[in-house]
Amino acid sequence: MTHDTAPQQHSDIGDVNQRFYDGLWADTRLVHPERFNTWSLVSSLAESHTRRLEVGPGMRPRLPIAGTHFVDISPPALAALESAGGITHTAPISALPYADQSFDLVCALDIVEHVEDDEAALAELSRVAAPGARVLLSTPLHPEYWTPFDDIVGHYRRYEPAKLTQLLERHHLQIEQSAIFGMKPKSSRLNDLGMWFLQRHRPVAMKVYNRFLMPLGLRLQKPLELTPGMVATDGVEEVFLVCRRAS
């Protein structure tokens, strides 16, 4: 079985992810879900989906924190989420510490592209989701859009849209709605400057991102424009998906 991996990959993608996100979360504060453009959707779903799980949120959870289960591998993020009323567990996405069909709402944004075995990751998300549960996902698209940024942040792949749909269907996840997603700046010069600093002055770059660029990005977010099924993906770098776990 083939996956949409980039031509060159890190020898140990797990170590790359651990180092990058431990550094990122160590010098930042928890950003509450109400500040993201996903909140209108998430808050309406949360009213009728009380058994909730979010995987790999770091310091930027999208589900309501109080009463939600959170799984991550970052101690700083888990400590912050627990202090805010979350129920936390340390575990990888490929081994979630829950019984089958435990949740009505599952969220894993910007996660599956970071793990080598995406089949195992999606199998676990599907396993813990009850029939009819909503599963929220996001991931980057188009392998030909690969840049050094993908290497730096620990991406293992970008997906071809058709193959992503097939992957989800294999794990009983049906796309109900989708939207163009992501907070990456459109300016190629700004992206190139950010990558230069990340490669050569990572602590400074992360501090600038956490304290200045992230707050600016939150203020400049556009509303999440959901469409039925898979959004037209030509020229789209990242997609947000609302899936339903099939019965």
Side-chain angles (χ1 to χ4, degrees):
M1 186 177 296
T2 59
H3 296 290
D4 298 305
T5 54
Q8 295 181 350
Q9 297 296 337
H10 297 284
S11 58
D12 191 341
I13 200 72
D15 286 346
V16 172
N17 279 298
Q18 189 79 54
R19 289 195 302 270
F20 181 84
Y21 287 99
D22 279 352
L24 185 65
W25 304 143
D27 187 42
T28 188
R29 295 179 180 178
L30 189 68
V31 181
H32 285 262
E34 295 86 348
R35 300 189 63 188
F36 292 99
N37 65 355
T38 48
W39 181 245
S40 178
L41 169 69
V42 165
S43 59
S44 64
L45 288 174
E47 290 180 359
S48 56
H49 298 70
T50 56
R51 300 187 300 163
R52 303 185 300 266
L53 168 67
E54 185 163 0
V55 180
M59 290 288 199
R60 295 167 193 154
R62 304 305 172 92
L63 299 190
I65 298 177
T68 295
H69 290 258
F70 293 96
V71 168
D72 208 298
I73 59 173
S74 169
L78 291 171
L81 290 164
E82 186 173 6
S83 294
I87 305 163
T88 62
H89 297 274
T90 303
I93 190 173
S94 57
L96 298 175
Y98 304 104
D100 296 355
Q101 303 183 12
S102 291
F103 299 102
D104 306 308
L105 179 59
V106 178
C107 181
L109 303 189
D110 297 321
I111 302 299
V112 294
E113 68 271 19
H114 288 273
V115 296
E116 183 173 359
D117 192 347
D118 55 348
E119 295 277 0
L122 285 165
E124 277 294 271
L125 293 175
S126 179
R127 179 184 67 78
V128 301
R134 291 313 205 293
V135 180
L136 310 181
L137 303 167
S138 69
T139 191
L141 300 177
H142 304 299
E144 64 270 24
Y145 291 174
W146 192 274
T147 71
F149 177 82
D150 294 279
D151 290 306
I152 290 170
V153 300
H155 287 170
Y156 193 84
R157 66 181 60 77
R158 283 176 169 268
Y159 287 96
E160 288 290 1
K163 291 184 178 181
L164 174 61
T165 300
Q166 293 168 6
L167 173 65
L168 295 172
E169 289 176 350
R170 283 199 297 274
H171 295 285
H172 314 291
L173 298 174
Q174 301 171 345
I175 300 174
E176 289 192 328
Q177 295 176 291
S178 63
I180 297 171
F181 198 56
M183 296 177 64
K184 185 179 177 182
K186 292 184 178 180
S187 169
S188 60
R189 290 184 178 180
L190 185 58
N191 285 323
D192 289 345
L193 180 62
M195 285 187 285
W196 187 90
F197 271 100
L198 278 171
Q199 289 171 326
R200 293 167 177 80
H201 305 284
R202 182 164 295 193
V204 174
M206 288 184 170
K207 184 173 293 187
V208 169
Y209 178 76
N210 283 326
R211 297 186 182 182
F212 300 104
L213 296 182
M214 181 64 185
L216 178 62
L218 287 169
R219 286 196 288 270
L220 296 178
Q221 286 179 105
K222 295 180 179 180
L224 191 67
E225 297 181 1
L226 290 164
T227 61
M230 176 66 89
V231 69
T233 58
D234 288 348
V236 174
E237 289 211 13
E238 186 173 4
V239 68
F240 176 87
L241 303 169
V242 181
C243 301
R244 181 184 289 274
R245 174 63 164 88
S247 301

